[in-house]
């Protein structure tokens, strides 16, 4: 692919994500209101089938002439590690962070990760070539999906639950509110690609993350039910859109040309796996924070607090009241508000830390010791 085509492809990829993010909540709200939640899965299946039928004949397949059989041990160890970690995070609020079962799951995940590293370093054709992590810029690129998970992706799940379950808004109204967060993804990725011709993509990405972090801090101050939530959501969307439009291209631009395919594979794995773990971790954290706030209310049964926190975290105040009879709704909303504020500020801190790593690894002048030839098809960080 020639230089202009590749640059446009990467920026259009981010914009395509933006189309789904912008209109997905509205379409979802319409489907739930008109046909029920099952319609979401039916429409998803239809769209996926259409994409397969229309896309597959038009995609040119590439093959590795030296490819051998599937790296079975690497695939199994990585999948098992990710499964153990995700289950541990999801079950943590119910089991308790100090429970033996949770410690066993986390220990299993750690051992499986160690096994995966050993397997991949010894495999002739590894599933993931860990040698790419010698390139500091490649490490910096992996910070981008982690940061956008913390600053953007988790909000796509947490905020609708807040709007519908806690604030009592309709599905359609919640979808319209989510436009403030997702609509910038229609424009900002293309703008980021254009700016990257004159400004370091690493610098742009780091600045975008700082903007998103400021929006998260602001979001923590917004009271439940207030329309003022739109402004910080818009700021988060604008900031997150800058790295969103650049990171796919950077994932292959910061390594030697012959390693681009493996680099894209690792980046995709980090991105998808990170989103799944981040969603589970943030949901569990919000549930734990709500339970901690409820513990400050005298007279409540401690045995029910963890479950009540889980119910509130998924937007089910009625379920929480059933577990804690006699507790008024205002107290539950107050507990959720305090927990959500702490969560927003925690996500902001994570985003700032990732921004610092991006500045240090991607925005700084290149190290002469790094053997990474200039790629003519994408701006080098």
């Amino acid at each position: 692919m020639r230089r202009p085509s590749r640059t446009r492809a990467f920026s259009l990829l981010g914009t395509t994500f933006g189309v789904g993010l912008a209109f997905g909540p509205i379409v979802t709200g319409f489907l739930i209101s008109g046909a029920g939640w099952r319609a979401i899965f039916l429409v998803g299946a239809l769209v996926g089938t259409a994409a397969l039928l229309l896309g597959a004949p038009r995609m040119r397949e590439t093959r590795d002439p030296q490819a051998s059989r599937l790296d079975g041990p690497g695939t199994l160890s990585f999948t098992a590690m990710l499964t153990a970690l995700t289950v541990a995070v999801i079950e943590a609020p119910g089991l308790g962070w100090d429970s033996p079962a949770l410690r066993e799951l986390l220990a299993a995940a750690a051992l499986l990760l160690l096994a995966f590293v050993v397997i991949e370093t010894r495999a002739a054709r590894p599933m993931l070539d860990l040698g790419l992590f010698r390139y500091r810029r490649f490490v910096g690129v992996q910070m981008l999906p982690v940061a956008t998970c913390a600053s953007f992706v988790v909000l796509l799940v947490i905020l609708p639950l807040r709007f519908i379950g806690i604030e009592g808004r309709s599905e359609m109204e919640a979808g319209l509110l989510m436009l403030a967060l997702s609509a910038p993804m229609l424009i900002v990725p293309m703008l980021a690609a254009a700016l990257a011709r004159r400004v370091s993509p690493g610098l742009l990405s780091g600045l975008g993350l700082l903007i998103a972090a400021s929006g998260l801090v602001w979001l923590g101050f917004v009271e439940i039910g207030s329309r003022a939530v739109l402004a910080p959501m818009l700021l988060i969307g604008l900031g997150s859109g800058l790295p969103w439009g650049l990171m796919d291209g950077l994932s292959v631009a910061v390594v030697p040309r012959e390693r681009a395919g493996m680099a894209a594979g690792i980046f995709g794995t980090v991105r998808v796996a990170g989103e799944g773990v981040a969603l589970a971790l943030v949901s569990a954290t919000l549930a734990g924070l709500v339970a901690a706030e409820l513990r400050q209310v005298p007279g409540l049964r401690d045995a029910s607090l963890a479950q009540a926190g889980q119910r509130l975290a998924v937007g089910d105040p009625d379920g929480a009241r059933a577990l804690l009879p006699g507790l008024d709704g205002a107290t539950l909303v107050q507990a959720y508000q305090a927990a959500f504020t702490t969560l927003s500020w925690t996500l902001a801190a994570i985003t700032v830390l990732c921004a610092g790593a991006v500045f240090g690894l991607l925005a700084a002048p290149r190290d002469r010791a790094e053997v990474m030839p200039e790629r003519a098809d994408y701006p080098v960080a």
Side-chain angles (χ1 to χ4, degrees):
M1 185 180 292
R2 295 181 181 275
R3 288 180 293 184
S5 299
R6 187 182 296 271
T7 302
R8 285 196 301 269
F10 281 127
S11 59
L12 284 172
L13 179 62
T15 302
T16 302
F17 276 117
V19 171
L21 293 171
F23 296 105
I26 298 177
V27 174
T28 299
F30 175 78
L31 290 173
I32 293 176
S33 301
W37 61 268
R38 292 177 177 83
I40 298 174
F41 297 93
L42 175 60
V43 172
L46 293 175
V47 172
T49 302
L52 178 63
L53 295 177
L54 296 174
R58 293 167 173 80
M59 291 187 293
R60 186 177 59 188
E61 185 177 4
T62 59
R63 294 181 180 274
D64 182 356
Q66 299 179 350
S68 57
R69 62 184 179 85
L70 177 69
D71 177 17
T75 302
L76 290 175
S77 59
F78 183 83
T79 303
M81 178 275 295
L82 194 59
T83 300
L85 178 60
T86 304
V87 171
V89 171
I90 292 175
E91 296 296 331
L95 294 174
W97 289 97
D98 58 347
S99 69
L102 184 64
R103 288 198 295 266
E104 291 172 2
L105 283 169
L106 292 175
L111 290 174
L112 287 165
L113 177 60
L114 178 61
F116 172 74
V117 172
V118 172
I119 290 169
E120 296 305 279
T121 53
R122 295 183 177 182
R125 300 285 293 179
M127 179 185 76
L128 295 179
D129 185 358
L130 301 180
L132 286 175
F133 286 94
R134 293 195 302 265
Y135 299 105
R136 64 185 179 90
R137 293 178 181 278
F138 182 72
V139 176
V141 170
Q142 310 316 307
M143 293 293 102
L144 296 178
V146 174
T148 52
C149 279
S151 65
F152 182 80
V153 174
V154 296
L155 298 180
L156 297 174
V157 175
I158 297 298
L159 285 177
L161 294 176
R162 165 178 163 167
F163 293 151
I164 298 172
I166 305 300
E167 299 184 5
R169 302 181 188 273
S170 68
E171 291 84 359
M172 182 61 71
E173 187 179 3
L176 291 172
L177 288 174
M178 290 300 293
L179 274 176
L181 181 69
S182 55
M185 291 293 177
L186 289 170
I187 302 171
V188 178
M190 294 288 288
L191 177 62
L195 291 174
R197 298 175 182 275
R198 300 187 179 185
V199 183
S200 163
L203 180 61
L204 282 173
S205 298
L207 290 174
L209 294 178
L210 292 181
I211 293 172
S214 66
L216 285 166
V217 173
W218 188 357
L219 183 64
F221 285 105
V222 178
E223 295 184 359
I224 297 294
S226 173
R227 287 279 182 175
V229 73
L230 295 175
M233 288 171 63
L234 181 62
L235 192 62
I236 293 168
L238 290 171
S240 300
L242 287 173
W244 195 277
L246 297 171
M247 57 187 181
D248 290 280
L250 283 171
S251 68
V252 298
V254 297
V255 298
R257 185 181 302 273
E258 64 273 10
R259 314 302 294 280
M262 179 63 73
I266 295 178
F267 175 79
T269 299
V270 171
R271 187 177 197 171
V272 175
E275 289 177 358
V277 173
L279 287 171
L281 183 59
V282 168
S283 298
T285 300
L286 181 58
L289 290 171
V290 172
E293 293 293 331
L294 291 174
R295 286 191 180 92
Q296 300 179 24
V297 179
L300 296 181
R301 296 179 301 167
D302 190 70
S304 301
L305 293 181
Q307 290 183 334
Q310 287 181 296
R311 301 318 309 165
L312 272 180
V314 298
D316 182 15
D318 293 336
R321 278 195 294 269
L323 292 166
L324 302 172
L327 191 65
D328 61 285
T331 302
L332 289 175
V333 171
Q334 184 179 3
Y336 182 92
Q337 173 76 75
F340 191 92
T341 297
T342 302
L343 178 66
S344 295
W345 292 350
T346 302
L347 293 174
I350 295 172
T351 305
V352 169
L353 290 174
C354 290
V358 169
F359 282 130
L361 296 170
L362 279 175
R366 286 187 299 164
D367 188 347
R368 291 172 180 263
E370 284 188 307
V371 184
M372 289 191 304
E374 294 274 358
R375 291 181 59 83
D377 47 30
Y378 196 80
V380 177

